[in-house]
């Protein structure tokens, strides 16, 4: 079945540092890929998405490129802020229609220190 | 503004008691989903529904039940058969069509007294 693997957390960085959160996937066909962010006590918010190979999703300074050859969708940001502290989830939607919803990674807790 | 409303935000259950979590959306989305979130385990799918009066079990449906009598509403009942119900529950919805991202509510945290 489909699966998503994210780097284990927590990840602790200083403000203005460069961020990479690794995400790799296993899926049949050609899935769409997503990054969601969850702030404490809240639901998930869509951060960015990519629907086909070599697509780059971007939002709020975050970027991720759909790499089919390495089955990866790593999240990057050039300069993080304290307000970026949250849990980040990588997810895929199977090309078969995804009627049964997204497949999520376990989440990566990001802590940004001033 | 359109969105997904989950209520209550916090809920407490006594042993042997059924409780129902509410999920309402005004986005006119067709599909709705319930996930359970436990620390370090990500999100796991409980039930989902593509259309009114139809729903399917997800990966961890045992001890839960749902109904979909209206397009806007998808309540989840945590029954007494669910032996470890303490978790954060998230409802989501998505419009019809491929590659559509899910929109999430703010969640309900259920605890056992």
């Amino acid at each position: 079945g489909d699966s998503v693997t994210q780097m284990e957390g927590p990840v602790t960085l200083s403000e203005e540092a460069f961020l990479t959160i690794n995400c790799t996937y296993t899926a049949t066909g050609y899935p769409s890929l997503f990054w969601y962010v969850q702030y404490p006590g809240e639901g998930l918010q869509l951060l960015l998405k990519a629907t086909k190979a070599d697509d780059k999703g971007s939002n709020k300074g975050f970027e991720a490129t759909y790499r089919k050859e390495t089955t990866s969708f790593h999240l990057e940001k050039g300069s993080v802020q304290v307000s970026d502290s949250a849990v980040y989830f990588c997810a895929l939607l199977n090309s078969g229609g995804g009627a049964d919803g997204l497949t999520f990674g376990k989440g990566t807790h990001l802590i940004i220190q001033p | 503004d359109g969105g997904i409303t989950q209520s209550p935000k916090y809920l407490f259950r006594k042993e042997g008691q059924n409780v129902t979590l509410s999920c309402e959306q005004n986005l006119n989305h067709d599909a709705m989903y319930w996930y359970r979130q436990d620390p370090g385990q990500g999100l796991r799918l409980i039930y989902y529904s593509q259309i009114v009066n139809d729903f399917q079990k997800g990966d961890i449906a045992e001890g839960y039940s749902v109904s979909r009598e209206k397009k806007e509403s998808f309540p989840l009942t945590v029954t007494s058969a669910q032996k470890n119900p303490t978790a954060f529950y998230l409802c989501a919805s998505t419009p019809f069509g491929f590659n559509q991202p899910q929109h999430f509510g703010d969640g309900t945290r259920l605890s056992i007294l």
Side-chain angles (χ1 to χ4, degrees):
Chain A
D2 299 340
S3 67
V4 175
T5 302
Q6 292 181 235
M7 59 191 298
E8 297 280 335
V11 173
T12 303
L13 296 172
S14 298
E15 204 166 21
E16 299 184 2
F18 184 86
L19 168 71
T20 301
I21 299 178
N22 290 337
C23 171
T24 57
Y25 68 89
T26 301
T28 56
Y30 302 94
S32 294
L33 301 173
F34 306 86
W35 276 101
Y36 282 84
V37 58
Q38 184 180 34
Y39 298 102
E42 298 183 6
L44 276 65
Q45 300 174 26
L46 178 66
L47 182 59
L48 53 84
K49 69 174 184 177
T51 58
K52 61 182 187 297
D54 299 325
D55 266 3
K56 177 185 282 188
S58 61
N59 186 25
K60 299 180 180 179
F62 291 90
E63 293 183 340
T65 301
Y66 188 161
R67 301 286 188 199
K68 192 173 187 302
E69 64 276 14
T70 55
T71 61
S72 65
F73 193 52
H74 304 322
L75 182 68
E76 297 182 334
K77 187 176 185 183
S79 177
V80 293
Q81 306 301 312
V82 172
S83 58
D84 294 326
S85 298
V87 180
Y88 292 81
F89 290 93
C90 185
L92 71 82
L93 187 66
N94 194 281
S95 59
D100 58 348
L102 293 161
T103 298
F104 287 90
K106 292 186 176 182
T108 301
H109 186 193
L110 175 65
I111 301 170
I112 306 301
Q113 297 178 332
Chain B
D1 286 340
I4 300 175
T5 301
Q6 290 189 241
S7 61
K9 192 168 180 65
Y10 300 95
L11 187 58
F12 299 91
R13 194 191 90 170
K14 294 181 180 179
E15 295 287 345
Q17 190 179 50
N18 294 353
V19 291
T20 297
L21 284 60
S22 171
C23 177
E24 303 278 333
Q25 54 100 358
N26 60 3
L27 299 166
N28 198 32
H29 285 175
D30 300 282
M32 297 186 74
Y33 306 83
W34 274 105
Y35 293 92
R36 171 179 171 141
Q37 185 178 18
D38 295 283
Q41 293 198 45
L43 278 72
R44 292 182 289 170
L45 183 66
I46 304 173
Y47 269 99
Y48 63 100
S49 168
Q50 294 288 303
I51 58 172
V52 174
N53 293 322
D54 188 49
F55 47 83
Q56 280 75 43
K57 294 182 179 179
D59 300 319
I60 56 165
E62 185 175 350
Y64 300 96
S65 65
V66 294
S67 63
R68 187 88 185 275
E69 297 177 1
K70 298 186 298 182
K71 186 176 184 178
E72 315 82 71
S73 179
F74 191 42
L76 173 74
T77 296
V78 184
T79 75
S80 57
Q82 171 51 242
K83 297 307 179 187
N84 185 23
T86 297
F88 191 51
Y89 291 87
L90 287 162
C91 179
S93 70
T94 187
F96 178 80
F98 293 147
N99 301 325
Q100 298 292 336
Q102 292 183 357
H103 299 252
F104 283 82
D106 282 341
T108 293
R109 185 166 299 280
L110 175 62
S111 301
I112 301 304
L113 292 176

